[in-house]
Amino acid sequence: MSNLDVLFTPVSLGDIELANRFVMAPLTRCRAVGHLPNALMAEYYGQRASAGLVITECTMVTEGTSAFGNDPGVYAAEQVDAWKQTADAVHARGGKVFMQIWHAGRAAHPLLNHGKEAVSASAIAIEDEVYTPEGKQPYTVPRALTTTEIADIVQDFRRAAANAIRAGFDGVEVHGANGYLIDQFLRDSSNQRTDAYGGSLANRARLLFDVLDAVTAEIGSGRVGLRLSPLNSFNSMRDSDPLGWMQYLATGLNRYQLAYLHVMRADFFGIQSADVVPVAREYYNGSLIVNMGYSPEEAAAALSARHADAVAFGTGLLANPDLPARVKAGAALNTPNPDTFYTSGAEGYTDYPSMDA
């Protein structure tokens, strides 16, 4: 066995059998039109079906929570029908696909949501600007959710999971990372509540566990994954004790028997640093996917050492639809073009050449 061969071995994640250990990380691409997925998106995901698991971009669980303007949803019947193209495209090429389900919380600007007010754990704004139809604007101060509204959002996640399965997906990934709503409750920089959803880590994790209770009851725990980012400071996020946070959540997640836990190991901006993956591995008993900046060689080493069960690649699969084949052949990789990450149309989306081309 060569050093990279472990990447090509099968693995079971919950109810799902993967042909290899390559996972396509969820990547916002802004190609939905009117929050509807489309044929271009189906082609994009289908092209990358040789990864053991494809995880879609973040997908809105409820109306009026757009963070990007061209993000897809899964709360309406027409969206469910439109997503079937993507599930079919991945399955036709022998792949497996999970939908990442998501509520943006305070990252949803009113100018992207017909004036609808942003909501969050607490009335604390993101310290940044966002592109809107009226140009770049500061994020607004969100309204703190009531407990009744929190219960409604939990049901939105439950319905989104059911809709994803109805659309033909193999499962869902609950988005608990990168400064969106669940993460806004989890981390103490954005959650200053004094009720049952704030203060202690047990209280701050209550929304996450409420969502997992609902989603796993709806579609089965073996079809549910979770993504966490203990260190990522994107969207003005920070936690005073990321290692303790990781240990607490990893331990608490054991009762769910999820398909996987997906951990982002670093911070986009390098503000916070800590070795969170060993903590996740020590305290979480299920399958672990790791992510952020892994080369194929480092990924294979992590798998061989049993530090993880699969590795998620972001821009590597964005720019190389046939990444597993290229790695196996030792072929050169395409260079991703950041200028087209969030534009519209096929350029920089479905036109990256395969190795054979």
Side-chain angles (χ1 to χ4, degrees):
M1 180 181 287
S2 76
N3 291 340
L4 295 175
D5 284 351
V6 67
L7 283 164
F8 299 92
T9 58
V11 64
S12 297
L13 300 183
D15 295 345
I16 311 302
E17 299 288 331
L18 307 188
N20 59 56
R21 310 294 181 107
F22 290 85
V23 174
M24 180 177 175
L27 298 162
T28 295
R29 300 307 311 274
C30 295
R31 262 66 175 190
V33 178
H35 306 305
L36 276 173
N38 50 54
L40 182 66
M41 292 167 60
E43 180 184 357
Y44 168 74
Y45 288 116
Q47 287 176 344
R48 289 150 179 82
S50 63
L53 176 64
V54 170
I55 306 173
T56 72
E57 62 215 271
C58 51
T59 302
M60 292 185 289
V61 301
T62 192
E63 188 175 10
T65 58
S66 172
F68 305 105
N70 294 321
D71 28 13
V74 69
Y75 49 82
E78 61 266 33
Q79 293 166 336
V80 176
D81 289 341
W83 271 120
K84 291 176 181 177
Q85 300 173 86
T86 291
D88 290 347
V90 174
H91 291 151
R93 299 194 187 190
K96 301 292 174 65
V97 59
F98 273 34
M99 180 187 294
Q100 189 186 65
I101 55 175
W102 163 76
H103 191 300
R106 66 180 184 174
H109 198 283
L111 290 174
L112 294 171
N113 294 286
H114 305 291
K116 184 177 179 181
E117 185 178 25
V119 295
S120 186
S122 300
I124 304 169
I126 296 172
E127 296 175 359
D128 201 354
E129 294 180 322
V130 60
Y131 288 98
T132 77
E134 297 181 12
K136 221 172 179 185
Q137 297 289 333
Y139 281 100
T140 58
V141 176
R143 177 176 55 78
L145 287 160
T146 67
T147 54
T148 299
E149 290 173 315
I150 291 169
D152 291 340
I153 288 170
V154 170
Q155 292 309 307
D156 290 337
F157 273 93
R158 181 200 58 75
R159 180 187 61 197
N163 284 346
I165 298 300
R166 193 171 296 119
F169 282 74
D170 298 295
V172 300
E173 178 178 277
V174 173
H175 196 347
N178 294 348
Y180 299 111
L181 185 66
I182 291 174
D183 200 23
Q184 290 161 25
F185 274 80
L186 284 172
R187 292 204 264 176
D188 55 19
S189 67
S190 52
N191 185 344
Q192 297 182 3
R193 301 174 73 97
T194 57
D195 64 1
Y197 288 88
S200 68
L201 186 45
N203 283 353
R204 286 184 278 128
R206 194 178 304 277
L207 172 60
L208 169 62
F209 291 144
D210 287 352
V211 167
L212 291 178
D213 287 340
V215 170
T216 57
E218 182 67 33
I219 67 171
S221 58
R223 294 184 178 273
V224 178
L226 169 67
R227 196 181 203 209
L228 296 174
S229 59
L231 300 172
N232 200 3
S233 61
F234 182 69
N235 281 329
S236 299
M237 297 302 293
R238 198 173 178 89
D239 193 83
S240 59
D241 182 16
L243 292 178
W245 183 97
M246 186 75 261
Q247 178 181 335
Y248 179 85
L249 292 177
T251 303
L253 291 168
N254 286 327
R255 69 178 183 265
Y256 290 100
Q257 298 183 318
L258 299 176
Y260 62 82
L261 171 62
H262 182 180
V263 174
M264 301 175 70
R265 64 173 174 171
D267 176 13
F268 286 164
F269 307 109
I271 295 171
Q272 281 197 298
S273 63
D275 208 354
V276 295
V277 170
V279 177
R281 193 51 154 174
E282 179 179 358
Y283 290 95
Y284 181 63
N285 297 333
S287 296
L288 181 65
I289 298 175
V290 293
N291 174 231
M292 290 188 78
Y294 284 85
S295 67
E297 292 76 16
E298 187 185 9
L303 295 171
S304 296
R306 302 188 183 279
H307 294 160
D309 299 285
V311 178
F313 297 88
T315 54
L317 268 159
L318 180 157
N320 298 276
D322 56 348
L323 180 65
R326 286 175 181 266
V327 171
K328 179 168 275 191
L333 302 182
N334 296 325
T335 301
N337 178 10
D339 291 341
T340 58
F341 282 179
Y342 311 113
T343 53
S344 60
E347 183 184 1
Y349 190 59
T350 55
D351 62 351
Y352 283 104
S354 66
M355 180 175 63
D356 293 339

